[in-house]
Amino acid sequence: MRNALREKKIKKFTNKMQAKLLLVFCIIIITMIGLIVRLVHINRTDGERYAKKVLSQQTYTSTVIPFQRGSILDRKGTVLATSEKVYNIILDVKFMLEDKKYLTPTIKALTDCYDSIKEETVMDLVNKRPESRYVILKKGINYEKMMQFKDKEEKDNNIKGVWFEEDYVRKYPYKTLASDVIGFTSSGNVGNWGIEQFYNDQLNGVNGIEYGYIDSELKLEQTTKPAINGNTIVSTIDANVQGIVQEHIKKFNKDMDCLNIGVIVMNPNNGEILAMASNEEYDLNNPTDLTSFYTKKEIDRMTDKERLDALNAIWRNYTISDMYEPGSTFKPFTVSAGLEENIIHPNDTYVCDGGQSINGVKIGCSHIHGTVDLTQALMKSCNDALMQIGAKEGKKLFYDYQNSFGMGRKTGIDLPGEAVGILVPENKLSPVDLAISSFGQTFTVTMIQMASGFSSLVNGGYYYEPHIVKQIINQGGATLQNIDKVLVKESVSSETSNFIKNAMYLTVEGEGGTASGAKVPGYKVGGKTGTAQKFPRKDKRHLLSFIGAVPADKPEMVIYVVLDDPQKIEPSAQSSGIATKFAGEILKDILPFLEIYPTESTKGLNTSKSTPALPSTGTKAKSDKKTLGDTDTTNGNPNEDNADGSTTDADNKDTNKKDNIDSVNTADSLEGDSLEYNNENTFPESDEDGEILDFIPDTSESDNGSDIQSDNNN
């Protein structure tokens, strides 16, 4: 019986059962294949979206790695601007509060290492923002200050929740050196004025990033993309020459108190600017500080707009942004135009009887020169002769050559804020205007236009585009771009250039020349003076100037000096001799640094190159030369452009000007206006006269205070 039951319970694995099992197995296999195909399809078509969805449900972290803004160097490698690495102190409040034993030692370490961080400040964060993961306690500490805290952290394992974020702060080692040229940066690595603005994209790099996520098993999956640092800019500026020029300007203006002073030193053979300065220098490390220019009471009384206007006036580069009437320094251009067109000749003579009467308007000369040849007309700065030359040229030729020499248009210099100047249009150039224009009045120019144009007159006739940068280098030191000289045009023939060079040399060295004050022992100096009367003419205020080249026969440098209305000099004593002597003092000190050596006797010449020219980080430029305030400021040469010379009256009938003048007392003769902001008698302003900011930029890239910055959970 038992055997029968046992046989009954045992069942065989029949074919039917095998078929069912096979069917189930096949269904499972097919399903798995389908799932795999589907997953592959999803991964290909929508994988990124699902990955982001998964990551969004996990703890995700990222840290920006800041780039280092490129440096600005002078032509010899001296660092003029650089970005130094600093560290921001970051507090992770939530992490610090994970264990009560972390709180006290962490706060104590912070307050011991950093005086500006107070215990009350940290406790306020603990009470009000306990979930914060990112709070900037202090910005801009150096490496030594960071390591001071790190040492404490290594000795005490209970110091938690503090870490250091890398950052960079812009530094200018020589403070005011070349401030007009370099410019400055505001927060966010935004360049303002100068090279900092013009080459902002080259100087800036690209931030890197360190990112990853913490999965459910607390494993950190991390990827780092390094920052790309900015490129380094090598300027054409010579820091030693720039320092000497600025030192001379400071000493001179202390005695003369000019409204404006501008000095340009450039290489006429390639357009490189070697030095460019004005009297309004400012500390690039603190560009919004007005205390060097105004008293505290004056600053406190300023409205926001007045403060902005004051800052823009200081930041503005006078040598490229301000327009003025050039005066007699334009005479070589007028003569060159006539020579080029074969209208006048070197041996031509002119009779100067003290002036010209044109359409009933009497226009005077500073002296009655008698009969002069073309060279003497330039040497003695004879307005009468120049008016006769202008009349021969006619208004079309004169206007065409003004444009050809680069007046009335931008030179293309690689700096922001270049003005264009204002020319009297050909169809409005009356005979009176033409006569006055021939010696540099009725139209306005910029200093860079005059320096570039004059360079072409003395370098053989080649007009080169002026530039302030010569090379761009990447972070690895490889040269990305060499900025070579750019020949814009051939302005005059070599014959005309040779004549101008000889006439300029005789103007300085020859008997009766107006520029004898520019002589430098051992050197051949050539140049031209200018004394332009300003509006209103009746005030008899002047803009004094000198433009010259060394060596006169084969120039290697051009210097242009402009002195706008020395306030401590009586109008009757304002003459171009002041500017000429000032230029001569600068030349004595800078020529050795430019490796331009004397060809004659060196007696009385500073030939040492060891003069400490750079203002400090350490040393200041020194000069054993007297300033003009220590010498006789009167013009000892009776032939110099002189506001005291015999003058005649002229009636300015130009209807385009606001001030109709019935009688104009002439200095260099009738020479006029340097554009004054607070003078109702001015030319209309150019719409391209500079980059004026309408806000005060935040330049505090490093906050050394204890102010807490906004929480940001990265």
Side-chain angles (χ1 to χ4, degrees):
M1 186 72 177
R2 287 179 179 176
N3 291 335
L5 289 171
R6 192 175 292 166
E7 289 177 0
K8 195 172 183 180
K9 287 180 179 179
I10 296 173
K11 292 184 178 181
K12 292 183 178 180
F13 192 61
T14 63
N15 290 336
K16 186 176 181 180
M17 293 171 67
Q18 290 177 2
K20 287 181 179 180
L21 182 61
L22 180 62
L23 178 62
V24 171
F25 182 75
C26 289
I27 290 172
I28 292 172
I29 293 296
I30 291 170
T31 302
M32 289 181 67
I33 292 172
L35 287 172
I36 291 170
V37 171
R38 178 62 179 163
L39 286 172
V40 170
H41 175 73
I42 290 173
N43 188 54
R44 287 183 176 179
T45 59
D46 226 8
E48 187 176 348
R49 182 170 64 87
Y50 280 101
K52 289 179 178 178
K53 194 170 184 179
V54 171
L55 287 173
S56 68
Q57 296 170 357
Q58 297 171 324
T59 302
Y60 182 81
T61 62
S62 69
T63 303
V64 172
I65 303 173
F67 65 83
Q68 183 179 23
R69 186 174 172 91
S71 298
I72 299 174
L73 312 178
D74 89 328
R75 63 188 301 108
K76 296 178 180 176
T78 301
V79 177
L80 304 178
T82 188
S83 291
E84 295 180 356
K85 182 177 285 189
V86 294
Y87 301 88
N88 301 330
I89 303 174
I90 310 300
L91 179 63
D92 186 336
V93 183
K94 186 175 182 179
F95 186 36
M96 183 179 66
L97 295 176
E98 281 187 357
D99 194 320
K100 290 184 178 180
K101 66 181 181 181
Y102 298 159
L103 182 61
T104 300
T106 302
I107 293 177
K108 187 176 187 308
L110 284 169
T111 55
D112 287 349
C113 292
Y114 310 107
D115 294 337
S116 60
I117 298 178
K118 305 299 181 185
E119 181 178 351
E120 297 79 15
T121 304
V122 181
M123 288 306 300
D124 189 57
L125 290 170
V126 169
N127 296 325
K128 295 181 179 179
R129 298 160 65 180
E131 296 297 315
S132 296
R133 305 302 302 264
Y134 181 92
V135 178
I136 300 177
L137 287 180
K138 185 177 178 64
K139 295 183 72 177
I141 67 170
N142 59 29
Y143 178 79
E144 289 74 20
K145 284 287 187 181
M146 179 191 71
M147 290 308 299
Q148 186 178 346
F149 184 89
K150 289 277 190 183
D151 290 341
K152 286 182 176 290
E153 194 175 36
E154 287 181 5
K155 295 174 183 177
D156 189 344
N157 292 328
N158 291 324
I159 298 175
K160 300 291 182 181
V162 177
W163 56 283
F164 296 88
E165 177 184 68
E166 290 185 359
D167 199 0
Y168 291 94
V169 62
R170 199 66 166 167
K171 294 290 185 181
Y172 303 90
Y174 297 103
K175 299 179 181 179
T176 61
L177 186 73
S179 56
D180 286 343
V181 173
I182 298 172
F184 58 92
T185 60
S186 53
S187 58
N189 283 307
V190 178
N192 293 281
W193 298 86
I195 293 172
E196 293 278 27
Q197 178 177 328
F198 196 92
Y199 287 95
N200 190 64
D201 291 342
Q202 289 284 353
L203 288 163
N204 276 346
V206 179
N207 283 331
I209 188 170
E210 188 175 70
Y211 58 94
Y213 65 91
I214 300 173
D215 61 22
S216 59
E217 296 180 0
L218 299 180
K219 292 180 180 178
L220 178 64
E221 298 292 334
Q222 194 172 46
T223 303
T224 300
K225 184 178 180 181
I228 301 173
N229 293 332
N231 299 321
T232 290
I233 300 295
V234 181
S235 72
T236 61
I237 293 296
D238 185 309
N240 284 311
V241 174
Q242 181 76 30
I244 292 171
V245 168
Q246 289 186 213
E247 195 67 18
H248 275 282
I249 289 175
K250 281 191 287 188
K251 288 180 179 179
F252 178 86
N253 210 35
K254 190 174 181 180
D255 297 317
M256 295 296 178
D257 192 24
C258 297
L259 297 182
N260 281 301
I261 296 177
V263 177
I264 292 177
V265 179
M266 70 183 292
N267 185 335
N269 301 308
N270 57 20
E272 290 182 353
I273 304 299
L274 305 173
M276 177 181 276
S278 70
N279 57 318
E280 298 290 359
E281 65 179 34
Y282 59 95
D283 186 352
L284 294 167
N285 294 303
N286 193 9
T288 58
D289 179 22
L290 289 170
T291 56
S292 298
F293 307 94
Y294 300 92
T295 65
K296 187 177 184 303
K297 287 185 178 180
E298 289 173 328
I299 296 172
D300 291 341
R301 285 199 299 265
M302 287 182 179
T303 64
D304 288 344
K305 183 179 183 306
E306 288 171 339
R307 187 161 180 254
L308 278 169
D309 290 343
L311 287 170
N312 277 305
I314 293 166
W315 298 333
R316 183 184 181 92
N317 186 340
Y318 176 76
T319 63
I320 68 169
S321 296
D322 281 48
M323 305 177 294
Y324 57 91
E325 291 176 285
S328 289
T329 48
F330 190 77
K331 288 175 180 176
F333 295 92
T334 302
V335 170
S336 295
L339 288 172
E340 279 299 289
E341 297 300 321
N342 208 30
I343 293 172
I344 59 175
H345 307 89
N347 294 326
D348 289 353
T349 58
Y350 306 88
V351 176
C352 170
D353 57 5
Q356 293 276 317
S357 181
I358 301 173
N359 291 350
V361 178
K362 192 172 183 181
I363 306 170
C365 188
S366 59
H367 298 80
I368 299 175
H369 294 110
T371 301
V372 294
D373 62 23
L374 191 58
T375 299
Q376 291 171 329
L378 289 173
M379 286 176 60
K380 299 181 178 183
S381 199
C382 179
N383 288 350
D384 200 338
L386 265 292
M387 287 187 278
Q388 296 173 50
I389 293 170
K392 284 186 176 182
E393 291 175 357
K395 64 180 183 180
K396 183 180 187 308
L397 178 66
F398 183 84
Y399 180 76
D400 287 345
Y401 268 89
Q402 277 184 310
N403 283 278
S404 179
F405 290 132
M407 312 303 164
R409 63 185 64 188
K410 291 186 177 183
T411 63
I413 189 171
D414 45 347
L415 288 173
E418 183 181 6
V420 296
I422 301 172
L423 303 181
V424 179
E426 179 190 341
N427 61 352
K428 294 184 179 179
L429 198 60
S430 68
V432 172
D433 289 329
L434 178 59
I436 299 172
S437 295
S438 69
F439 51 81
Q441 303 266 185
T442 75
F443 62 93
T444 64
V445 298
T446 64
M447 284 189 69
I448 192 62
Q449 287 174 341
M450 287 291 290
S452 300
F454 184 80
S455 292
S456 76
L457 297 186
V458 297
N459 70 5
Y462 302 101
Y463 187 102
Y464 293 107
E465 183 177 85
H467 59 281
I468 205 78
V469 168
K470 64 181 300 184
Q471 198 174 50
I472 301 175
I473 302 171
N474 69 12
Q475 62 179 331
T479 300
L480 297 178
Q481 183 181 358
N482 284 315
I483 301 175
D484 299 319
K485 60 185 180 183
V486 176
L487 178 61
V488 178
K489 66 185 79 171
E490 293 185 22
S491 60
V492 295
S493 65
S494 59
E495 292 79 11
T496 296
S497 179
N498 288 336
F499 174 84
I500 294 297
K501 284 189 288 186
N502 185 62
M504 295 298 94
Y505 174 68
L506 292 174
T507 303
V508 175
E509 298 289 345
E511 184 179 350
T514 61
S516 60
K519 290 180 182 179
V520 179
Y523 289 91
K524 294 180 179 179
V525 180
K528 183 71 190 76
T529 55
T531 307
Q533 272 193 324
K534 298 173 59 174
F535 277 123
R537 309 291 199 200
K538 62 178 187 282
D539 288 350
K540 303 177 184 178
R541 310 300 300 189
H542 303 89
L543 185 139
L544 315 174
S545 60
F546 172 81
I547 192 165
V550 183
D553 54 345
K554 195 174 181 181
E556 296 178 43
M557 62 84 70
V558 161
I559 184 170
Y560 186 29
V561 170
V562 170
L563 310 176
D564 183 1
D565 194 2
Q567 298 295 291
K568 293 184 180 180
I569 301 294
E570 289 298 319
S572 60
Q574 291 181 351
S575 75
S576 60
I578 299 171
T580 306
K581 292 174 185 176
F582 178 51
E585 292 296 312
I586 294 175
L587 286 173
K588 287 176 186 177
D589 282 347
I590 68 173
L591 288 171
F593 283 94
L594 294 174
E595 298 184 355
I596 302 174
Y597 299 111
T599 56
E600 302 172 18
S601 169
T602 60
K603 184 178 180 181
L605 179 68
N606 173 18
T607 58
S608 170
K609 292 178 63 177
S610 61
T611 304
L614 290 177
S616 54
T617 63
T619 57
K620 290 185 178 180
K622 294 181 181 179
S623 172
D624 57 359
K625 307 294 182 296
K626 294 181 179 179
T627 65
L628 290 181
D630 297 326
T631 61
D632 182 7
T633 58
T634 59
N635 187 350
N637 185 345
N639 291 302
E640 286 180 342
D641 295 333
N642 193 341
D644 283 318
S646 57
T647 60
T648 55
D649 293 334
D651 182 17
N652 188 342
K653 294 186 177 180
D654 187 351
T655 58
N656 294 317
K657 300 180 180 61
K658 296 180 181 179
D659 191 19
N660 293 321
I661 303 169
D662 293 329
S663 66
V664 178
N665 200 359
T666 60
D668 200 2
S669 68
L670 179 70
E671 296 193 352
D673 175 32
S674 173
L675 304 185
E676 295 181 277
Y677 296 113
N678 298 319
N679 185 349
E680 62 181 1
N681 299 304
T682 64
F683 285 94
E685 289 193 13
S686 166
D687 60 356
E688 299 184 60
D689 61 351
E691 300 291 329
I692 304 300
L693 299 184
D694 57 3
F695 64 96
I696 299 176
D698 175 16
T699 59
S700 56
E701 295 180 64
S702 174
D703 181 5
N704 293 323
S706 60
D707 294 339
I708 303 301
Q709 293 225 349
S710 174
D711 179 31
N712 180 356
N713 285 324
N714 272 352

